[in-house]
């Protein structure tokens, strides 16, 4: 029986699962190919280069996360920014979104080290989430940058082991 060639969407799904489980920093071609049940040469065939593969993978991860966020928090404007911050922080702390947070920190770290591809991916992902927040923020697109900056800061504080500082900023108690 002939082996079928995987399509890009199937590859991206398998690659996304691998990166969410193992992080982006260790995403070299051979482990990615093994996770997708193909060869590194086939990945290059489908995506052109490792940089193009990573760019497509990050775009796919952002879209998957946005769809998950949409399902958990429909696009309804909330009454206050504080309510938005509380809800988003609780959502982002859930088991379903923790892997995305770790990958996002990998992207930010790589962008900070001068990775042009990661910086461009970060810009694209930020645009996706500004739009997502704008649909829920009481001030719409005008308030989204402020809220995203606070949310990102809170998630960094969480990663650094200082969730209580993020909780105080969001008006949450430490047991929430």
């Amino acid at each position: 029986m002939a082996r079928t060639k995987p399509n890009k969407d199937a590859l991206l799904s398998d690659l996304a699962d691998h990166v969410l489980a193992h992080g982006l920093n260790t995403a070299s071609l051979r482990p990615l190919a093994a996770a997708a049940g193909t060869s590194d040469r086939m990945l290059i065939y489908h995506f052109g280069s490792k940089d193009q593969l990573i760019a497509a993978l990050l775009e796919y991860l952002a879209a998957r996360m946005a769809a998950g966020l949409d399902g958990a928090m429909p696009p309804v404007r909330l009454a206050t920014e504080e309510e938005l911050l509380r809800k988003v922080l609780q959502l982002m702390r859930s088991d379903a979104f923790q892997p995305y947070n770790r990958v996002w920190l990998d992207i930010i770290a790589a962008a900070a080290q001068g990775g042009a591809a990661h910086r461009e991916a970060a810009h694209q992902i930020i645009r996706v989430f500004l739009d997502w927040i704008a649909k829920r923020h009481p001030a719409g697109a005008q308030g989204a940058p402020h809220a995203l900056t606070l949310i990102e800061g809170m998630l960094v504080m969480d990663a650094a082991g200082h969730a209580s500082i993020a909780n105080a900023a969001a008006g949450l108690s430490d047991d929430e």
Side-chain angles (χ1 to χ4, degrees), residues 51-125:
D51 284 344
Q52 290 172 313
L53 165 68
I54 296 298
L57 176 57
L58 295 178
E59 184 179 325
Y60 181 87
L61 281 165
R64 185 194 271 188
M65 181 178 172
L69 288 170
D70 280 342
M73 196 171 156
V76 174
R77 290 205 193 277
L78 299 173
T80 65
E81 184 176 78
E82 292 78 15
E83 181 183 9
L84 174 71
L85 294 175
R86 265 193 311 280
K87 287 184 177 213
V88 171
L89 188 58
Q90 288 171 334
L91 188 58
M92 294 307 296
R93 285 177 169 168
S94 71
D95 290 343
F97 291 100
Q98 280 300 303
Y100 292 98
N101 292 339
R102 288 188 297 273
V103 170
W104 178 239
L105 291 173
D106 287 347
I107 294 166
I108 296 301
Q113 293 173 0
H118 287 86
R119 185 170 291 131
E120 179 55 33
H123 285 286
Q124 291 175 359
I125 292 166

